[in-house]
Amino acid sequence: MISWLISLQLLSIPGKTVFTGGKIPEVRGIELATTYEESVQLELSPQEGVKDTYEWVLCDTLNLDLLLPQLERAAFSVGRGDQINMTYMPDSGLVPLAVEALNVAPRWVRDELFDNFQRLDSTYQEIYAQMIIDPPEERFRDEIAFTVAHVSPEILQDSTFNPKLLLVNAELLYRNDDSLDFVDIVDYDSPGGDYYSTVRYRVQVEGDTVERELEPYYYYFYIVHPQLSDESPRMDEYVYNKFWREYLLYEADSGYPLLMEKIRSARLLWVVTDTPQVFPGGREFDSTQTALDIIGNWASRTVPEPASGNRPIQPNVIAHEHNGNCGELQDLLAAACRACLIPTTSVFTLAEDHVWNEFYDGGWHEYQVDLGFGATHINDPRTAYDHDHGGGKEVSSVMEWRSDGLARTVTGHYSNTCTLFVKVEDLRGLPVDGARILLYSEGWYGGYEVSCWGFTDELGRAYFELGNLRNFYFHVNSPLGDYPSDPSGIIQIISYSQTGGHYYKTVALPYFAAFPIYEPQEESGFPLYKVKIDVDLRYEILHGYARARRNTGDEGFYHTYCEKVDDVGSVYLFVMDSTNYSLYTGGLPFRALVASKITDDTVIDVRLRPSGSSYFVVISNEENLTTSVGLNLGLSLYRNKLTEVAEVRGDSRIPELSVRPLFSRGKAMVQFSCGEGSRVSLDLYDVSGRKLSTILDGQMDGGDHRIPIDLNLPSGLYFLRLKAGPEERVAKFVIVR
């Protein structure tokens, strides 16, 4: 029975503060997660294969690379005129310059670049495309293309953001490289447009100097990206008209150390050891110190006082005002390290009120400067202060904040852990992507505080690595509504988490996703066409959002990020006739010959019986609210060879077949053979595939049979179809009056 659909448009990013609009969270109930994975509703399955007994002639083919945005589809008509025609394709909205920029950008970033260009208005598309097409130096192009792809469109179009910052950022990377001894940028030019850059750096391992090369992913996201965490990048008068990549290295107030002067002497990134390294505050600089030691010492001396006053978030302002707690020191360290070409990120325990940094060398390692002219910690997991490392806290979670806003739990570096898997569905059990899961725990200073968050993927799933011996509560934000519905409400899902525990929770939101309702349609009749549909899912682009602030006291704004995941994704495939395609495009319930959810590379053959109009193949990403899917689509249209026949006049016989109409004065004998005890059906069809009559349907003895039929029919092409057990045969003939 057909159900009706509540259709919702994708809502804009919520215009409220980061978590609950400033309201104090209140527990609304207990729905404890299970310790076993809950059953998942079965999805649609592809059409079962049918034994093909026909001979087919290829008429037309179409092969496309597609990036289907959320809530979009692509549609193709097949059959009419023996052709495949594109019926509907989402408008990319790209200006010509953006298309040109895509063609010259590195191949590995084109998909994300295309995705971000689509979310920029035409003026900004042209500004940023021109930077990629005509950079100040050719070697800057990959860095510029990456930042255009991975700085959010909301920031790229913000009034306080200067687009030229992306050019300055790339130029300073190479300028700073010329002055640093422990690290070098290396550029690679691969065939097919896959050119890229990264860094080589030197470390000491068991007394030996070893050169290592950084994986490009970490170079671009944790060195090149101009954003550090929740600040919006600036280089206007508020930050003294310089970008931090320049200001922190080349500017210093009187009486404070100049970073470039000190870092020039560094010959090594760090001395690799599993033992935590702690260097006291107030130490002197010398030429034997590693880069991480020098930068930590510089930060301690530049910001020697605990926080007071306005609590700045911009690195330049922090360095100039010379006071700060862990938050200011985190921002300063991240910016200084990246200015010195060291891959660095920001980590935090929100509910326990502490933040610090990590640097990357074959894995992430802790990095912290204690406030108040404090010590520098390198590879010291004790700085989370969890009981499991001798501290006084039970950490609820530790999150890493990637530059573009994507945040992930990394609790296992600092505490014993458990895991939580959350699945979000709509009322029909379909997965909801892009839902934000906010996890709360008891705050260090009382009440309930956000511990961590994450976004569901296209299968409605989110994963968290959490601390042990803690209670957890959750709230879900989604374009389909909140759970619980009270924006300040939270529900307990874990009580006193256990080390090594696995917890599972499924949430059903009180709405339907914006997705068409269908029911299966079966067709009988002689197939005139076959369409082969080859869907190769290549990647998906997940989207989430985070908050950015322009300056101290700014409430900030939400900005989006994208995360490309290779070889994952899902789309729906529909095949339907023209009547049902009209219903489908009108948002009404419809019938489909094929309705399959595709989650892997799939090839499906569909037989069609056109009756004067086309059939339609639809690739739909309409069930996804925030996820784009990239795929290769191949369509091949075949005509049944039996339709290619010569005219038959008088008593002429058709070619030798098991089914043989023998003509004589408007009558014919159909001759066939079958096995013993077979159930036999014999049907007559016209050229459109419409069944005219059933001549025979029942059990037959084995052997040869002759059945008379009446050929009192108008001129035209006809088909006889014999089914005997699992076998099927077709004969064709033309009547000419």
Side-chain angles (χ1 to χ4, degrees):
M1 187 170 182
I2 294 176
S3 302
W4 287 94
L5 170 71
I6 299 174
S7 180
L8 297 176
Q9 295 298 317
L10 178 64
L11 303 181
S12 60
I13 295 169
K16 50 189 177 186
T17 55
V18 181
F19 306 120
T20 56
K23 297 180 180 179
I24 299 174
E26 298 182 32
V27 179
R28 300 302 188 196
I30 300 176
E31 298 177 7
L32 294 183
T34 63
T35 55
Y36 56 88
E37 188 165 7
E38 296 158 319
S39 61
V40 179
Q41 180 163 326
L42 294 176
E43 301 289 356
L44 304 173
S45 59
Q47 184 189 49
E48 294 292 334
V50 179
K51 184 177 180 180
D52 203 338
T53 58
Y54 301 107
E55 188 175 354
W56 301 93
V57 178
L58 181 64
C59 299
D60 198 6
T61 61
L62 179 69
N63 291 281
L64 293 172
D65 286 332
L66 295 177
L67 174 59
L68 277 181
Q70 64 273 11
L71 298 172
E72 276 290 3
R73 67 178 181 270
F76 308 86
S77 65
V78 295
R80 174 171 286 184
D82 290 356
Q83 292 182 334
I84 301 170
N85 293 296
M86 187 182 298
T87 302
Y88 175 80
M89 188 66 63
D91 181 9
S92 69
L94 265 57
V95 300
L97 273 180
V99 175
E100 185 178 348
L102 285 169
N103 289 331
V104 299
R107 286 189 178 275
W108 52 264
V109 79
R110 289 180 189 176
D111 296 324
E112 300 100 307
L113 185 58
F114 180 88
D115 181 77
N116 226 28
F117 269 141
Q118 285 185 309
R119 296 185 286 159
L120 294 172
D121 69 34
S122 57
T123 299
Y124 283 99
Q125 283 187 44
E126 291 181 347
I127 291 172
Y128 294 113
Q130 190 61 54
M131 292 180 183
I132 298 170
I133 295 167
D134 188 23
E137 295 184 36
E138 287 292 324
R139 60 179 178 167
F140 298 168
R141 180 177 283 126
D142 56 315
E143 285 86 3
I144 295 170
F146 170 81
T147 51
V148 174
H150 284 285
V151 175
S152 76
E154 293 80 15
I155 288 177
L156 291 175
Q157 299 177 118
D158 187 63
S159 60
T160 63
F161 183 80
N162 185 343
K164 292 181 180 179
L165 185 149
L166 301 188
L167 301 178
V168 171
N169 181 60
E171 181 182 2
L172 286 169
L173 286 164
Y174 287 87
R175 173 184 167 188
N176 295 349
D177 174 48
D178 291 339
S179 301
L180 299 172
D181 184 65
F182 70 94
V183 63
D184 293 293
I185 295 177
V186 290
D187 297 307
Y188 289 95
D189 186 9
S190 300
D194 271 337
Y195 58 94
Y196 66 95
S197 304
T198 187
V199 295
R200 291 194 190 116
Y201 54 90
R202 284 174 291 281
V203 300
Q204 188 178 99
V205 181
E206 297 179 348
D208 295 328
T209 298
V210 177
E211 189 173 78
R212 292 176 170 169
E213 185 165 299
L214 186 66
E215 299 97 314
Y217 169 85
Y218 298 99
Y219 170 71
Y220 288 104
F221 274 109
Y222 296 102
I223 295 178
V224 173
H225 203 290
Q227 191 176 1
L228 302 168
S229 58
D230 65 343
E231 92 294 348
S232 179
R234 302 178 69 163
M235 62 177 194
D236 57 7
E237 64 279 0
Y238 181 77
V239 294
Y240 322 126
N241 297 307
K242 292 184 184 294
F243 185 43
W244 52 256
R245 209 179 288 276
E246 177 181 15
Y247 184 87
L248 297 184
L249 275 175
Y250 302 101
E251 302 285 339
D253 293 332
S254 177
Y256 293 91
L258 182 67
L259 181 54
M260 179 53 79
E261 180 182 280
K262 305 302 181 184
I263 198 68
R264 283 182 189 276
S265 65
R267 300 293 180 264
L268 300 169
L269 172 62
W270 73 306
V271 176
V272 178
T273 176
D274 293 332
T275 304
Q277 302 173 35
V278 182
F279 301 100
R283 62 195 181 279
E284 296 298 321
F285 292 98
D286 69 57
S287 60
T288 67
Q289 292 170 339
T290 66
L292 291 177
D293 184 358
I294 291 170
I295 294 171
N297 195 8
W298 169 84
S300 178
R301 291 173 175 273
T302 300
V303 181
E305 300 296 330
S308 61
N310 60 353
R311 304 297 302 272
I313 62 169
Q314 294 289 345
N316 296 3
V317 181
I318 294 168
H320 179 61
E321 294 190 357
H322 307 298
N323 69 83
N325 289 350
C326 60
E328 288 80 8
L329 285 163
Q330 179 192 62
D331 292 336
L332 189 66
L333 270 182
C337 283
R338 292 189 187 187
C340 295
L341 305 183
I342 300 171
T344 313
T345 192
S346 301
V347 294
F348 48 92
T349 56
L350 282 178
E352 292 74 45
D353 190 32
H354 187 46
V355 304
W356 62 98
N357 298 95
E358 291 181 343
F359 69 94
Y360 189 86
D361 175 32
W364 289 108
H365 305 273
E366 177 276 346
Y367 188 42
Q368 173 177 296
V369 171
D370 295 339
L371 64 89
F373 204 52
T376 297
H377 299 255
I378 300 175
N379 201 35
D380 186 0
R382 298 172 297 180
T383 53
Y385 309 119
D386 188 86
H387 273 124
D388 298 323
H389 290 276
K393 299 179 179 180
E394 293 294 355
V395 171
S396 60
S397 74
V398 182
M399 291 206 78
E400 181 257 327
W401 186 306
R402 198 174 71 178
S403 303
D404 58 348
L406 185 150
R408 294 176 277 212
T409 50
V410 293
T411 316
H413 296 178
Y414 303 95
S415 171
N416 292 342
T417 63
C418 64
T419 56
L420 171 65
F421 300 85
V422 178
K423 189 170 191 294
V424 181
E425 300 175 339
D426 74 355
L427 272 181
R428 289 184 294 165
L430 290 175
V432 176
D433 67 316
R436 183 177 66 168
I437 315 297
L438 291 170
L439 293 182
Y440 292 75
S441 193
E442 287 80 9
W444 184 245
Y445 305 108
Y448 302 97
E449 297 288 346
V450 170
S451 175
C452 57
W453 67 88
F455 290 84
T456 55
D457 62 15
E458 90 289 351
L459 297 178
R461 308 165 305 181
Y463 162 83
F464 303 92
E465 184 182 58
L466 305 175
N468 61 330
L469 308 180
R470 293 299 298 264
N471 300 318
F472 290 94
Y473 311 79
F474 83 126
H475 185 97
V476 179
N477 300 132
S478 168
L480 295 185
D482 283 18
Y483 188 89
S485 58
D486 178 359
S488 63
I490 58 176
I491 292 175
Q492 185 174 1
I493 55 172
I494 296 178
S495 176
Y496 205 60
S497 57
Q498 297 299 300
T499 299
H502 299 288
Y503 301 93
Y504 302 88
K505 181 62 181 174
T506 298
V507 179
L509 297 178
Y511 299 99
F512 292 135
F515 185 67
I517 303 294
Y518 74 95
E519 66 177 17
Q521 179 183 12
E522 294 185 0
E523 279 197 325
S524 61
F526 178 73
L528 299 188
Y529 290 105
K530 178 179 75 172
V531 59
K532 179 180 179 182
I533 306 165
D534 187 346
V535 182
D536 179 10
L537 296 176
R538 294 177 48 231
Y539 62 90
E540 64 181 0
I541 298 181
L542 306 174
H543 296 91
Y545 56 89
R547 189 180 68 172
R549 295 180 291 161
R550 303 174 182 89
N551 52 48
T552 303
D554 178 25
E555 284 298 319
F557 59 95
Y558 281 92
H559 68 100
T560 53
Y561 64 81
C562 68
E563 170 78 342
K564 182 181 176 182
V565 181
D566 291 331
D567 301 323
V568 180
S570 66
V571 292
Y572 277 83
L573 166 65
F574 298 111
V575 180
M576 66 195 83
D577 60 27
S578 57
T579 299
N580 283 286
Y581 180 69
S582 296
L583 294 173
Y584 167 77
T585 56
L588 298 174
F590 66 99
R591 294 174 179 268
L593 294 174
V594 174
S596 301
K597 182 162 188 176
I598 307 299
T599 58
D600 201 353
D601 298 345
T602 301
V603 179
I604 296 178
D605 285 349
V606 184
R607 298 180 183 188
L608 305 176
R609 185 181 62 84
S611 54
S613 64
S614 295
Y615 276 67
F616 292 84
V617 175
V618 177
I619 304 297
S620 171
N621 193 35
E622 290 160 291
E623 83 281 11
N624 281 327
L625 301 175
T626 63
T627 304
S628 302
V629 178
L631 56 95
N632 297 124
L633 175 66
L635 297 177
S636 300
L637 179 65
Y638 299 84
R639 175 181 280 277
N640 196 327
K641 192 172 183 180
L642 290 173
T643 61
E644 300 177 355
V645 350
E647 292 183 352
V648 179
R649 296 177 179 272
D651 290 337
S652 300
R653 298 173 180 267
I654 66 170
E656 182 74 11
L657 288 173
S658 296
V659 182
R660 302 178 63 188
L662 308 174
F663 298 99
S664 176
R665 297 178 182 176
K667 300 286 184 180
M669 296 294 293
V670 178
Q671 180 175 311
F672 63 90
S673 60
C674 64
E676 184 67 33
S678 297
R679 181 175 183 85
V680 175
S681 65
L682 183 64
D683 299 302
L684 177 67
Y685 297 88
D686 65 15
V687 69
S688 72
R690 180 170 59 95
K691 184 192 292 188
L692 301 178
S693 64
T694 296
I695 299 167
L696 178 67
D697 187 8
Q699 295 290 123
M700 301 289 291
D701 295 331
D704 295 330
H705 300 273
R706 294 167 63 89
I707 305 294
I709 61 171
D710 187 355
L711 292 182
N712 186 21
L713 299 167
S715 297
L717 175 65
Y718 297 90
F719 301 93
L720 284 165
R721 183 172 71 170
L722 171 73
K723 294 184 70 175
E727 299 298 324
E728 180 177 330
R729 297 290 183 270
V730 174
K732 57 188 175 180
F733 57 93
V734 171
I735 294 179
V736 180
R737 298 295 185 188

